[in-house]
Amino acid sequence: MTDAETFLRLAFAQAPASEANAAISRTREEQEDSRSYELVLPGGDVRAFLLERALPKLVDYLESVGAKLPGCGGVFLSVFAGDTLHFIHARDAMQLLAEWSGASLEELKRRYGPR
């Protein structure tokens, strides 16, 4: 299984990317006014992209909006991969990214959280 497949298997729902606005709004309502954090997966090295580019920004965002690690309450990721939009709970994504990075969630918070 590729890293992209492993990451996208975390999705709790999917929708066509062409219906993104409606799908994100619907998911916010279903998740009780959750916040959406959008990502576009590259076609290349997904693990490197997620760990080097997305993870630092995601941790900073989560901590800044009060969606503290480890639970990341109220935030889901809207991940565009090809023509499909995948919805992943931020807590699930963070668990996998912590595992891939070899760092604990506390270490990631210290490393990338707001200063």
Side-chain angles (χ1 to χ4, degrees):
M1 181 177 309
T2 68
D3 290 337
E5 291 169 334
T6 299
F7 185 68
L8 295 174
R9 285 189 75 192
L10 298 174
F12 62 85
Q14 297 177 344
S18 61
E19 299 173 11
N21 289 338
I24 291 170
S25 292
R26 183 175 54 251
T27 302
R28 276 191 186 118
E29 290 172 14
E30 292 169 357
Q31 298 296 313
E32 300 177 10
D33 296 318
S34 293
R35 296 174 193 235
S36 171
Y37 185 88
E38 297 178 15
L39 284 175
V40 178
L41 285 189
D45 190 345
V46 168
R47 185 181 293 220
F49 166 78
L50 289 171
L51 293 178
E52 296 166 15
R53 298 195 57 208
L55 180 60
K57 293 175 186 175
L58 178 58
V59 171
D60 183 61
Y61 173 80
L62 291 169
E63 291 292 309
S64 294
V65 301
K68 305 289 186 191
L69 300 175
C72 308
V75 176
F76 63 89
L77 307 185
S78 297
V79 181
F80 292 86
D83 60 359
T84 305
L85 178 59
H86 304 262
F87 297 108
I88 300 172
H89 292 291
R91 69 178 176 269
D92 297 337
M94 286 304 306
Q95 288 292 336
L96 178 61
L97 296 177
E99 179 183 315
W100 282 356
S101 73
S104 69
L105 292 173
E106 279 302 313
E107 175 58 29
L108 293 175
K109 191 185 326 185
R110 278 192 300 277
R111 199 180 294 173
Y112 303 124
R115 308 250 178 248

